[in-house]
Amino acid sequence: MSSEIKNIPPVAIEKPKFKVWNGARAIAEAVKVADVDVISAYPIRPYTGIMNALASMIANGEFIADVVIADSEHSQFEIVKHASAVGARTFVGSSGVGLAYAAEAIIVTALSQLPVVGAIGTRALDDPGNFGMEWSDVLMFRDYGWLISWAKTVQEAHDMTLVAYRVAEDKRVLLPHFVVLDGAALTHVATPIVPVTKEQATDFLPPYKPPYRIDPIDGPVTKAQHIAPSLIGPEQRKLVDVATKRAKEVIVEAWKDFATYTGREYPPFIEAIGMEDADFALIGMGAYMKDIEIVAKRMREKGVKIGTIRLRYVRPFPAEDLLRVIDGVKAAGVIEFGYSFGSPFGTGSLYHEIATSLYEANTRPELLDFLFLGGREPKVEHFMKAAEMIIESVHKKPQKKAYWLTLRGEDI
């Protein structure tokens, strides 16, 4: 399967019309055609625009759903958790410290195998009151059973939302799913996109029919039970482990099926550009990959064999796909907006995932980490500097693994 996104001829559909939407509106429009039953909202920028758009759609009669305005982010995630348990298709979202506040409900949702879908507009964790873009709000939950996909464009954020429902609700999976879009860089930036029509969504996304819902008609069922952990604790976690592993094949199936209805074909896990003969690679995810791809293209024009690797999913992590596309590379750099203070070599959490995967590689490239933290927006020249340092690392052993390229002062 090709590792680059392609447009393929749609199957028996009319030529669609473009809409100019920002990421927040694009997510909301996907939720509308997904025929969601229960939406729980509590405002926190930069995700708030999603709920504002949904509220306007429902008020205008564009679709019917119950919208519950919660008293906090914690209550917000509790509401959709319980709604999902009784058989509703649900939607929720948050950002930054709001997501952190909901931690208890977020964790229990996964361990109860409830296929809630949530959109996260990434935002730096406080303090101070930081509205800049970081990834650490989402990545703090990467180990608790949520599936996590990461969009590069407004179009992809729209499409990922529909696919998230398809994957999360599959009986082989039944896990909650975060669809992540970089705060401001996608949530507030408008671009032309081709929306999924209601007819396409209905054909692609079957109604949610949970195998075990909490309803007197279905007989006794319990979720999030408070019992002695020795009775089911290990087995409960193993179920989530198996579901996460099964999600890989379901994700492949879902994106293949999505293409037949919409004419948009995506590589399931990794988008690789210029990696066929690459000596060097820039690895990342999210909206800034567009800038990173510009850097790689400019260096290619100068004769440097460099490519880009974009992760579309963090969970399940596509280690096997990564090893395949990075094979033969001499040096690579991870571009990331998430921190892990006190970690080995002072590197970020995405670096750890990639370095762990490369431990199984036949040959391991020199791997450096470039951290863009605190919400200060990087520029193309920062990514160019990262690429130059990767190339230099082949000839001169780097003094350290992690580099902060947007600091005002010296990187010590």
Side-chain angles (χ1 to χ4, degrees):
M1 182 177 289
S2 172
S3 59
E4 293 189 32
I5 294 174
K6 298 178 180 178
N7 285 321
I8 63 174
V11 178
I13 61 174
E14 296 180 358
K15 185 177 180 181
K17 297 180 180 179
F18 284 91
K19 299 290 185 180
V20 179
W21 291 336
N22 63 19
R25 174 69 181 276
I27 292 278
E29 292 284 346
V31 172
K32 179 179 75 174
V33 297
D35 196 23
V36 168
D37 303 307
V38 177
I39 300 166
S40 183
Y42 187 84
I44 182 171
R45 68 183 82 174
Y47 116 98
T48 308
I50 300 173
M51 295 306 182
N52 289 344
L54 285 169
S56 295
M57 291 173 190
I58 293 171
N60 293 333
E62 296 181 35
F63 77 114
I64 297 173
D66 289 325
V67 180
V68 183
I69 307 302
D71 63 356
S72 69
E73 292 90 352
H74 184 280
S75 297
Q76 183 187 0
F77 276 83
E78 284 286 348
I79 289 164
V80 290
K81 180 189 78 176
H82 290 285
S84 180
V86 300
R89 176 172 287 165
T90 62
F91 178 75
V92 72
S94 194
S95 298
V97 291
L99 193 66
Y101 183 35
E104 179 189 23
I106 289 171
I107 292 168
V108 174
T109 299
L111 289 177
S112 296
Q113 290 196 265
L114 298 170
V116 171
V117 170
I120 308 302
T122 58
R123 170 183 163 178
L125 295 168
D126 292 352
D127 199 40
N130 194 328
F131 304 128
M133 200 281 287
E134 278 185 346
W135 293 347
S136 296
D137 53 355
V138 179
L139 292 179
M140 72 169 69
F141 294 108
R142 70 188 188 277
D143 298 330
Y144 297 118
W146 281 69
L147 307 176
I148 305 173
S149 61
W150 218 289
K152 181 176 78 170
T153 65
V154 173
Q155 180 74 72
E156 191 172 33
H158 177 77
D159 295 346
M160 274 185 170
T161 304
L162 270 297
V163 174
Y165 281 106
R166 171 72 174 264
V167 173
E169 295 173 358
D170 190 288
K171 289 182 174 60
R172 292 166 290 177
V173 181
L174 290 176
L175 289 176
H177 197 311
F178 282 137
V179 177
V180 184
L181 58 166
D182 291 342
L186 279 189
T187 56
H188 287 62
V189 172
T191 63
I193 79 162
V194 180
V196 177
T197 67
K198 177 60 178 175
E199 293 74 19
Q200 290 169 341
T202 301
D203 291 339
F204 171 72
L205 184 61
Y208 174 42
K209 295 181 179 179
Y212 308 105
R213 62 175 183 165
I214 298 177
D215 191 303
I217 297 175
D218 297 340
V221 173
T222 180
K223 291 181 181 291
Q225 51 270 58
H226 286 239
I227 61 171
S230 60
L231 294 179
I232 68 163
E235 291 75 22
Q236 180 199 40
R237 283 147 178 78
K238 189 59 183 177
L239 284 172
V240 176
D241 175 60
V242 172
T244 306
K245 293 172 180 174
R246 287 177 177 169
K248 284 192 173 183
E249 63 177 293
V250 177
I251 288 168
V252 172
E253 292 172 9
W255 282 108
K256 182 178 180 180
D257 203 22
F258 183 82
T260 66
Y261 290 108
T262 66
R264 291 188 292 280
E265 183 180 22
Y266 294 85
F269 292 105
I270 287 180
E271 181 188 15
I273 300 177
M275 289 302 300
E276 296 80 8
D277 63 343
D279 292 326
F280 310 99
L282 291 165
I283 309 170
M285 56 190 185
Y288 284 97
M289 284 303 300
K290 296 189 290 290
D291 300 294
I292 295 166
E293 289 159 11
I294 290 172
V295 168
K297 182 179 179 181
R298 290 178 181 175
M299 299 198 79
R300 276 275 177 178
E301 292 170 353
K302 296 178 181 179
V304 179
K305 293 182 178 180
I306 187 169
T308 60
I309 299 172
R310 177 175 70 95
L311 303 179
R312 300 183 70 239
Y313 284 81
V314 179
R315 286 293 183 271
F317 192 84
E320 296 84 0
D321 301 75
L322 176 63
L323 293 179
R324 175 176 50 81
V325 299
I326 206 171
D327 186 44
V329 168
K330 298 176 182 177
V334 181
I335 307 295
E336 65 176 309
F337 297 77
Y339 51 75
S340 182
F341 297 134
S343 68
F345 308 109
T347 47
S349 47
L350 182 60
Y351 178 96
H352 305 156
E353 303 281 338
I354 293 169
T356 300
S357 302
L358 292 179
Y359 187 82
E360 302 298 328
N362 295 324
T363 58
R364 300 175 197 161
E366 183 71 48
L367 190 65
L368 301 180
D369 197 27
F370 300 96
L371 295 161
F372 297 90
L373 305 177
R376 184 171 297 150
E377 187 171 2
K379 300 178 181 179
V380 170
E381 56 254 39
H382 294 120
F383 302 134
M384 183 67 75
K385 177 64 175 177
E388 292 168 351
M389 293 175 69
I390 294 165
I391 296 167
E392 184 182 355
S393 72
V394 174
H395 309 289
K396 182 180 178 182
K397 187 68 176 177
Q399 295 181 346
K400 55 184 181 178
K401 292 290 186 182
Y403 297 87
W404 299 44
L405 298 186
T406 54
L407 284 176
R408 291 195 179 122
E410 182 184 359
D411 182 8
I412 59 174

